[in-house]
Every structure is written in structure tokens, then in C-alpha cells.
Amino acid sequence: SDGTLGTEGGAMKGREKSAILPILLVVAFAAQVAASFARPTRTCTPKMVPPSARTGTCRPTGTSRKMRLNSRGSSAADDAAAYNAAISASVDITDAYLRNGILTLVRSGRDVDSNSRRSFLYQIPVDTAKTHQTLIIPPPTEIATKIKARIPSASGDKIAILVEEAVAKDGENAKADDTRKVFEIWTEGGHNLAARIVLPKDMHGKVCTDVAWFGGFSWSPDETTLVYVAEATPPKTASFFDEVDASATSSCKGGADDRSADTHACIGGQFTLGVGKGEDWGEKYTGTSRLALFCVNVNTGNVGHIQNVPGDAIEDSSEGGYSFGQPVFSPDGNSVVYVGWDAGGGGSMPRRLGSIYCYQRPAKLYSSRVATLRESLSSSKNDGGSDDSARDDEGWTCLTPNDRLARSPRFSPALEAGRFKMVFLCNTPGFDTHGGCMELHSIDWDADKETALIDNRQVLVENVDLPTDDDRPSAKIGGICFPGLFVNQLPTDCFSEDGKSVYMTTQWGSISRAIEVSTENGRIKPLRFRSSSEDPARASQSIFSVTKDGAIVSESEPGQPTTVGYISSGALNTGGGAEVQCLSLHKMESILGAVSGTSSSQSATNVSFEVLNVSPSHGEVAAPVQAILMFPDNPSNDKLPLIVVPHGGPHSCTTTGYIPSYSYLCRHGKYAILHVNYRGSTGFGQAALESLAGTAGTLDVKDVVHAVERVLESYSQIDPSRVGICGGSHGGYLAGHCIGQYPDLFKVSAMRNPVTNIATMVSATDIADWCYIETLGPGGYDWNSFRGPTREELGVMFDASPIAHVDNVKAPTLVALGMSDRRVPPSQGLEYYHTLRSKGVRTKLLVYEKDGHAIDRVASEADHWINIKRWFDEHL
């Protein structure tokens, strides 16, 4: 328990305390004497444990906190210290770029004490003339929480910093809603604050800084204008009881009946979806409804709204229409190319569905001219960027009219006078599954004509159904040939200096790999380098940024946190498929390692790993199934317990990169860990991925069990009588299936926000399409209309759910729930928990009121993983 035990009725008066104090002392002494002759009893003593070490587990009294050991010999304090060491060693890079010989990194870290993530800025001088050196890292600088984004210009002379600051009014303390958004424009490489531009509240809402998906910033080629994404200002509303001129009203869209002429507000529209209540994009995007594009001139401070875009005007309703994002200026600076997501305006989203981790939401590329708008904003006489100027620009052009999915536009340097290439990710027919294989296409852009040459389109990398056989060792990574592009976003800076190559990171089976693609013929070449790994062929490697000065790359392994490296432009251009020289930023030490009541030292235990290829005979699509097997140091050669970890998604993949939580379980808990990338995972070809749709609960379960059985047959150091399973979301779904379908194999389980009954989930989740497609197969969801499931469909969904096998479960089961989860409703886990408890199965429920699907608030995440470790300690 992490509650507080106390007396009823509040505090006692001082005289009453003094009267009973001697009696309490005698009783306490007698209790201590009795305890010395008896086995320790179990009681909850939350106040004796610091917040960072609380696990909710009752501990035996009569010993000091450090001596309170669980069944595997570790105390709560030891577990907390080891967990904190694992997460503080993590190198989470949220931004990286190279400008004028300065390598800039933004690294985030978890602070358990303050229950927050803190960000740190590294600025590292790089001597690009040297190729054999270790880069010296100066101490980082913490970034204030009010700083939301840093956007360097291409030249490196300017940096735009987005600040969200509180503003006190009339001498009072600032309130939560008294905030404003400001662009600070720093020049001379970030040394001089040249301007502060306060963004107008009446023009738009919150600026979208989610550069991994919806958001994005782009400088114009002349570095005078910045385009960005922000929430469109919602329609104004008024209560039926507000004092307005009721005699002069007009129609309101979105379901409200009247609009007040004097306030321009929809009367009675506060609680109407699309008017006072925005239709959002689901989990993690509860505040994102209709995103629009805006330009700011950094010299004049004028701001304007790009209005010549697809869809209806947004003043009257935020329902339906389009959301726009990922903007980038054209090379001539007179157009903006961007992504438009169908939010109902294009006929493919009759019900708005969740977006995060759902990479198949219909989206196309568009281009809108902004020459007139930019000219207006450049004038000092402009009134702040009135929207009238935007309407003078010509209309918009759809650059990918025949593609269901298109995103991530990037422009090359000039290939010849006035000619550039725009590359982008696309999949013309699209796919129903939440992840899939993408193609890389290019379109020429004529800067002289200021237009895209749509007819001059080239397919650089095609979709791959299954990896082909190729006996050349150089053609394989992790034992498989190229499986297709599994890329969510291209790097912002992704082109070589001559524009003939584009760089990106893709999933290649269970390994993340940086690759080079020729823009002339589409030839694919893995980028081979060594940063810190003894075996870089198995390590996961990524590329952050490529400029004329070189590339920023990273490398990590299951037992080795990310190291960041630099590859000079000369080495990058002369690689030829051979390993290139990489300068390692050695070493980015652990940060935020000191937590109240714990030690920050990282365990010296090493973690080894192998990438396993297994070939199941079941299933209609013969595709590789890979698994990553992690081992702790085991000098005593004791039999190791095994924790099986099927990933969530299901259309995602666990790679050979560093994951703090599993490094913690392996290194500190001394568990062997088996990550299974079952069919349906990304990185193995589109046919292998789509083979899971319609067979969920069967094919994926058999793949997991097959991988476990092969490991138990091949590795004598693993104890086959001590196998547990741990997973979240679809991984929790598989954990429920495995303990229900194979109750004698899996002895204990831990689930995070698990799907347990698809039939009861379908009407409550933000991804109803997942429920149909994974149980009924591709084509099982109607994208053009909305209806509830039929009686027959509900039966299929129930049969594909873990709840159908719950009567067989006997494994002790830990269930962790984020009560704000929009993806998998908490009712799923509650239904399963109460069912197990009523059957007498040992179970425990963790409830995190403010967490969503990921349970990623820092304190919740820590509590969750320490509880998982101690649950396995107790039952495995």
C-alpha cells in the first residue's frame, strides 16, 4: 500500500498524548520482545520507504529496510536504485543537428524525485578536418521547461526558440491559463537575441511541437519566414443564458442553432461536438482537433494564416475537414508543401479515429502558394498578418492524388540550375493494418516555374512483400535480406550535399539500420559504422541528421545505452559499402542518477544477447520469425528463469536497441529475457505483417509459443519450469492468451493495459478499426461509413479474445492500468482482474489514475516496473 495509516478523528491533544505515552512504550517493548522469538509478520509500512522506492508490497518487520528482502534476495531499496541506474543511463535524443562545426543534441531524462522529464542541451565542437579522434563533451545545460522547441536555420545563423511563458496580470501571480506563446529569434549562431514575437491568441491555439507526426517547422530559403503548425481557433460559443442580442442571429454549423451577431458566438454551442467540444485524434492527442498552417516573418513579427488549403473554413466547426502538418518550404520559397490528414472532409474518416501509432490514416501531400502572404507579412505596415492577404494567393494542388498514404516531404539541394527533387514516403493503395511497408518516391520541382512536375515521378524503393533469398552475406542483416522500408519519418536533414543520396533509419527485421538510398536509381546500401559495439552487425543503429559537414548517428544494444557518433562528409561519401570511420561521443554519462534514498551506481552485471531466427511450420505465409534473447552474467551457472516479452502494436517491432526496463529486469533481476517478433511485426515484409490480420489470438500466440519452445530446447541454462510472460497492450493481449491457452508452460504473467475482450472494447476504444481488422481480416472495417458490429462479428471478436480462455488460467497475474487510457479502455483490465479474483487466481491490480495507455508518467513508470520485477521475484 502507498496510503497513509492513521487514527480516526485527527490528531490527539497534547495532554492525551502524554497520558498514554508510557503505555505505548511498554506495549512497543513487549511487541519487540515477542517479535524476536517469532517469525517476522508482514505489514505495510509505507512511510519508512522513500517515494522512489515504494512498490506497494508488504514487507516483513523486525529488520532494517536494507535487509527486507524478497524471495530472490533483493530489497525494495536495492530494486529502486537499480531501476534508477538503468533509466538514468538511457540516452534519449529528442533533437540533433550539425551546424558550422557545432554538434547540438537535446537529451531528455527521467527525474523520479520530481516525477518529470528534464531536458539537457549539449553543444559539442567538431573538428571536421580530423577523422581519428574522440570528441570531448562539455557539460550539458538544462533546458527550461518553458522552452518547447528549437529550430535552427539551414545556415546555422538563426535559431527560433518557441517559448510558452506565464504572464502575471495587474501584479497578481500568473494563473495556468495566463500564458502566451513566443518565438524568440536568436542570430549569430544563437548568441544574440534579435527579436521576441508574441503569437496572437485570436489567430490560433497551441503550437504543435509533435515533430514526430503532426507537427513541424520549416525556414524559408532566405531565412526570413518560419512556417509552423498550430491548433485552429475553435468557434466562439455562448450560453443560452448569456446576455447577447438575440434579435440578430445567424445559423451555426456543428449542431448549434444560432449565432449571436454582436459576439459572433454560437449560442448554446459550448457542449456541441465540433463547436464547443473539439473532435480529437484520440490517445495522446486529446487536445488536438483541427491543425492549421501559419507563417511568421521573423523580421517584422507579423503572423498569417495559410488559408488556401483543402476543406471548408474552420470558423464554424472543428468537426470533419482536414488536419494539416509536416510543412516544408519549397526551394523557391513561394510555396509550402505539407501533409493533409483526412479528418472527415475526404470521405475516409466518417468517425475520427485515434492517430498515435496508427500509420495508415489517410493522408496526401498538398502544395499551397504563399508568395502574397509572405509579401504582406514582410511589410512593417501590416496589421499583424490579416487573413485577407492569404486569400489573394492561388489555390492548392494535391501532389499525390492517387495515393492513399503519403507523408514526410523533403527537398534535396539543387541538382542543377533550378531543379530539385522532393522525396516522400507513400503507399498508393494503403493498408488496413496500423503499420506497414512504405515506398520512397520522388517528384522533380522546378524552382524557375515554382511548381512540382507531378508527371515526372519516380519510384525509388518499392514495397516488399517478403524478403527474397540472397546468398551474399553483404545482402543480409540479422540473417534476412532487405524487407522493405519500415520508416515513419525521414530525417529533417536527410540528403547528401550533392543531393544524390538520401539517408534514413529503417527496421530491418529485429535490427534498426541506417541506410543510404540513391536518388538516381534507388539502390539501397546499409550504412556500416562502429561506434561502441563489439559487434555492430547486430547492434541497432540510427541516423539523425546529414549536412555538408557530415552525419550524426547513434548505436545501442540491449545491454548498452545509446552512444552518439559523428561521421565526416568525406567518410560518408567514400563508404562504398565498407565500414566507415565514426567518431564516438564517448561518453555521455548517466544523468539524474541521484534519487532520494537510493544509490545511483549501475550494476556491473553485463548483458549479452543473440538474435534468433525460427521457422514455424504453421501459418499460411512462410515468413521469418525472429526473437532477441538476453542473458545476464551468470557466474554460478544457475538455471535462469525466463521472461517472455511479446511486443504491443501488434504491428510494431522490438529491436536490438537499449530498453531501460528490460535491461533492469535482466541485469538486476537476473532474468533471461526473450523478445518475440511474431508474424505481424514490422520489418519483415508486408505479406508477413498482414498475415496476422484476421488471425490475432491464434497465429501470434503460436509464434510466441514456438519461439519459447525452441529456446527451451536449445539453451540448457534456462529453467523450463520457470517461464513467465510480460506485455503491454497487444503484448498484454498475448500474455492473456498464453496463460489461458498454455497454462502449464507460463507460470506467471504481468500485463499493462491489456486487451482482454475485443467484443466489449470495440465500442469504447479510439481505434475501432483495429478490433475489426485484427479479428475479421483486411477489409473487415468500412472506412466510408460507420456502424456497430453485428451479432456474428461480436462472436468472432469474443472468440479471438483472452477472456475466452480465462477458465484455464492458473498463473499469478499482475494487471497495471492507466485510468486515462483512450486506446484500451481500463474496463478491459478490470474485467480480467475481477474474473481472475473471483476464480481464486492470485492477482494484483495497479491503478494509475492520471496515466494513459503507455503508463509513462515518470513516477508511475518506475512504480510499475519495480512492481513487475518483484512480482516475478515472488512467483517465478
Side-chain angles (χ1 to χ4, degrees):
S1 170
D2 61 356
T4 301
L5 303 179
T7 59
E8 294 183 2
M12 290 182 290
K13 297 181 180 179
R15 189 165 52 188
E16 294 171 329
K17 287 183 180 180
S18 62
I20 67 170
L21 183 58
I23 299 173
L24 292 177
L25 292 174
V26 172
V27 172
F29 177 77
Q32 287 183 340
V33 172
S36 66
F37 291 97
R39 294 180 64 184
T41 57
R42 297 183 69 81
T43 184
C44 293
T45 54
K47 287 191 174 181
M48 297 182 67
V49 184
S52 56
R54 293 178 187 170
T55 67
T57 302
C58 295
R59 305 175 182 86
T61 60
T63 56
S64 66
R65 177 165 63 91
K66 290 188 177 181
M67 293 301 293
R68 289 173 189 153
L69 308 179
N70 61 20
S71 59
R72 298 199 66 199
S74 64
S75 69
D78 289 339
D79 289 342
Y83 174 81
N84 190 64
I87 60 168
S88 64
S90 180
V91 181
D92 299 327
I93 304 300
T94 57
D95 195 10
Y97 57 87
L98 188 63
R99 297 289 191 274
N100 302 324
I102 301 294
L103 194 163
T104 300
L105 302 172
V106 176
R107 177 187 180 186
S108 65
R110 303 166 177 86
D111 187 338
V112 178
D113 271 348
S114 65
N115 190 22
S116 65
R117 289 180 179 264
R118 295 162 64 182
S119 296
F120 298 84
L121 180 70
Y122 293 80
Q123 292 188 303
I124 306 162
V126 177
D127 187 348
T128 56
K130 295 182 179 180
T131 58
H132 299 279
Q133 66 175 18
T134 297
L135 303 182
I136 306 301
I137 304 178
T141 302
E142 183 163 7
I143 300 175
T145 56
K146 68 178 184 179
I147 295 178
K148 303 303 179 182
R150 295 170 51 88
I151 310 102
S153 65
S155 70
D157 178 66
K158 295 177 180 178
I159 300 176
I161 297 179
L162 177 64
V163 178
E164 188 174 286
E165 57 188 19
V167 181
K169 297 181 179 179
D170 301 326
E172 299 179 356
N173 294 328
K175 300 179 181 178
D177 55 349
D178 294 334
T179 61
R180 64 184 182 188
K181 301 162 188 67
V182 179
F183 272 122
E184 293 186 350
I185 309 302
W186 294 74
T187 58
E188 300 177 20
H191 291 86
N192 177 49
L193 178 58
R196 276 176 51 87
I197 303 169
V198 179
L199 301 180
K201 286 187 176 183
D202 59 348
M203 185 168 289
H204 61 68
K206 187 176 182 179
V207 176
C208 181
T209 57
D210 170 36
V211 295
W213 194 241
F214 281 125
F217 304 88
S218 178
W219 284 93
S220 61
D222 62 4
E223 300 186 357
T224 64
T225 308
L226 191 69
V227 61
Y228 62 97
V229 183
E231 187 69 26
T233 301
K236 294 181 180 180
T237 62
S239 166
F240 288 115
F241 302 97
D242 287 342
E243 294 184 4
V244 296
D245 183 2
S247 61
T249 60
S250 60
S251 176
C252 287
K253 294 182 180 180
D257 295 328
D258 298 295
R259 176 182 292 280
S260 165
D262 56 346
T263 64
H264 302 286
C266 292
I267 300 174
Q270 312 101 299
F271 306 108
T272 302
L273 184 66
V275 184
K277 299 294 182 182
E279 187 177 22
D280 62 44
W281 286 98
E283 175 73 16
K284 288 292 186 183
Y285 291 121
T286 55
T288 302
S289 180
R290 288 284 295 273
L291 295 170
L293 304 176
F294 300 86
C295 286
V296 56
N297 185 291
V298 300
N299 295 326
T300 64
N302 294 325
V303 180
H305 176 198
I306 302 176
Q307 291 203 50
N308 50 322
V309 295
D312 298 328
I314 59 177
E315 288 86 354
D316 292 335
S317 176
S318 62
E319 193 174 16
Y322 294 84
S323 279
F324 305 112
Q326 300 183 16
V328 59
F329 268 106
S330 63
D332 51 76
N334 290 324
S335 296
V336 170
V337 176
Y338 53 93
V339 178
W341 283 271
D342 186 350
S348 295
M349 194 68 69
R351 174 198 165 180
R352 186 87 65 92
L353 296 168
S355 180
I356 193 167
Y357 313 130
C358 302
Y359 303 108
Q360 94 288 28
R361 300 299 182 229
K364 299 180 185 294
L365 294 184
Y366 299 91
S367 173
S368 294
R369 286 189 56 79
V370 292
T372 305
L373 174 63
R374 288 193 62 200
E375 182 180 357
S376 173
L377 298 180
S378 67
S379 172
S380 59
K381 297 180 180 180
N382 184 278
D383 61 0
S386 70
D387 291 339
D388 292 337
S389 59
R391 295 190 177 95
D392 293 334
D393 278 306
E394 299 175 9
W396 49 269
T397 300
C398 182
L399 304 179
T400 58
N402 299 317
D403 297 300
R404 180 174 173 83
L405 304 178
R407 61 176 183 263
S408 202
R410 301 289 186 265
F411 282 101
S412 73
L415 302 177
E416 56 188 50
R419 189 174 72 86
F420 300 80
K421 271 191 183 294
M422 183 188 77
V423 299
F424 57 96
L425 299 170
C426 79
N427 189 301
T428 299
F431 39 80
D432 284 352
T433 50
H434 281 176
C437 187
M438 300 297 288
E439 296 187 335
L440 184 70
H441 289 208
S442 69
I443 294 176
D444 285 351
W445 187 279
D446 190 324
D448 295 331
K449 297 180 180 179
E450 300 182 355
T451 187
L453 305 179
I454 299 178
D455 294 334
N456 191 5
R457 178 167 167 171
Q458 182 180 5
V459 180
L460 298 176
V461 181
E462 294 182 327
N463 175 68
V464 174
D465 276 337
L466 288 172
T468 57
D469 291 330
D470 194 325
D471 294 332
R472 295 176 302 158
S474 61
K476 294 184 177 181
I477 291 177
I480 66 172
C481 296
F482 179 65
L485 288 180
F486 290 87
V487 182
N488 297 329
Q489 280 269 53
L490 298 173
T492 300
D493 301 319
C494 62
F495 279 96
S496 60
E497 186 177 5
D498 59 8
K500 294 182 178 180
S501 296
V502 59
Y503 295 87
M504 68 199 72
T505 304
T506 186
Q507 291 176 8
W508 196 312
S510 300
I511 298 173
S512 291
R513 185 60 72 206
I515 63 172
E516 174 188 356
V517 179
S518 168
T519 58
E520 297 178 324
N521 55 29
R523 182 172 59 90
I524 299 166
K525 183 173 63 177
L527 183 61
R528 305 181 186 277
F529 61 90
R530 183 190 303 266
S531 178
S532 61
S533 173
E534 295 181 359
D535 186 3
R538 297 186 307 160
S540 278
Q541 299 177 334
S542 301
I543 189 163
F544 291 111
S545 173
V546 181
T547 67
K548 61 181 179 63
D549 294 324
I552 304 175
V553 295
S554 70
E555 181 179 78
S556 72
E557 294 179 350
Q560 174 64 51
T562 300
T563 57
V564 180
Y566 162 73
I567 300 175
S568 69
S569 57
L572 200 64
N573 295 332
T574 59
E579 184 174 302
V580 300
Q581 178 69 34
C582 176
L583 308 182
S584 176
L585 305 186
H586 191 77
K587 177 182 179 184
M588 299 187 79
E589 299 288 348
S590 297
I591 54 175
L592 304 177
V595 175
S596 301
T598 73
S599 167
S600 62
S601 60
Q602 172 83 14
S603 169
T605 305
N606 292 321
V607 172
S608 60
F609 75 100
E610 298 181 33
V611 178
L612 311 178
N613 287 286
V614 297
S615 301
S617 59
H618 58 269
E620 295 183 1
V621 176
V625 172
Q626 284 190 339
I628 304 167
L629 181 59
M630 299 168 56
F631 285 111
D633 265 356
N634 187 26
S636 62
N637 292 320
D638 292 335
K639 290 274 190 177
L640 294 171
L642 175 69
I643 299 177
V644 180
V645 184
H647 59 72
H651 306 297
S652 63
C653 182
T654 299
T655 67
T656 56
Y658 179 75
I659 305 175
S661 51
Y662 295 112
S663 174
Y664 162 69
L665 291 177
C666 183
R667 189 189 302 268
H668 176 64
K670 300 299 181 67
Y671 291 100
I673 306 291
L674 182 67
H675 295 283
V676 183
N677 288 319
Y678 45 86
R679 274 170 287 188
S681 302
T682 52
F684 296 89
Q686 185 65 16
L689 185 149
E690 290 185 335
S691 68
L692 180 60
T695 63
T698 302
L699 179 66
D700 43 5
V701 174
K702 289 183 177 180
D703 282 355
V704 170
V705 172
H706 181 79
V708 173
E709 290 174 343
R710 296 292 78 79
V711 166
L712 295 180
E713 291 172 0
S714 305
Y715 295 88
S716 59
Q717 63 267 50
I718 294 178
D719 187 345
S721 67
R722 292 194 294 162
V723 178
I725 189 165
C726 174
S729 193
H730 193 88
Y733 168 83
L734 290 177
H737 268 296
C738 285
I739 61 176
Q741 295 189 44
Y742 298 87
D744 294 327
L745 176 60
F746 297 96
K747 301 302 193 298
V748 59
S749 72
M751 306 175 177
R752 181 188 69 252
N753 288 325
V755 176
T756 63
N757 188 342
I758 302 176
T760 58
M761 171 181 164
V762 63
S763 60
T765 177
D766 69 334
I767 52 167
D769 58 311
W770 178 90
C771 300
Y772 288 88
I773 292 163
E774 300 304 330
T775 58
L776 305 176
Y781 183 77
D782 188 347
W783 296 97
N784 298 314
S785 64
F786 176 78
R787 62 167 178 81
T790 64
R791 181 194 301 268
E792 291 73 19
E793 289 169 342
L794 287 173
V796 174
M797 293 176 184
F798 181 88
D799 291 341
S801 301
I803 201 70
H805 307 280
V806 73
D807 287 342
N808 301 327
V809 175
K810 55 187 178 181
T813 299
L814 175 69
V815 180
L817 300 178
M819 302 307 287
S820 298
D821 190 351
R822 295 274 301 276
R823 178 76 18 118
V824 179
S827 58
Q828 291 283 294
L830 289 171
E831 178 182 349
Y832 202 74
Y833 166 77
H834 287 298
T835 303
L836 292 183
R837 192 172 69 166
S838 69
K839 284 168 42 62
V841 176
R842 180 73 185 276
T843 185
K844 179 178 179 178
L845 180 66
L846 303 176
V847 177
Y848 302 101
E849 295 287 352
K850 296 182 180 180
D851 280 86
H853 190 57
I855 307 184
D856 56 359
R857 296 174 73 247
V858 173
S860 304
E861 182 186 41
D863 179 85
H864 169 230
W865 283 108
I866 295 172
N867 262 297
I868 286 176
K869 190 263 181 187
R870 297 179 71 79
W871 185 257
F872 283 116
D873 287 351
E874 182 179 355
H875 298 286
L876 200 59

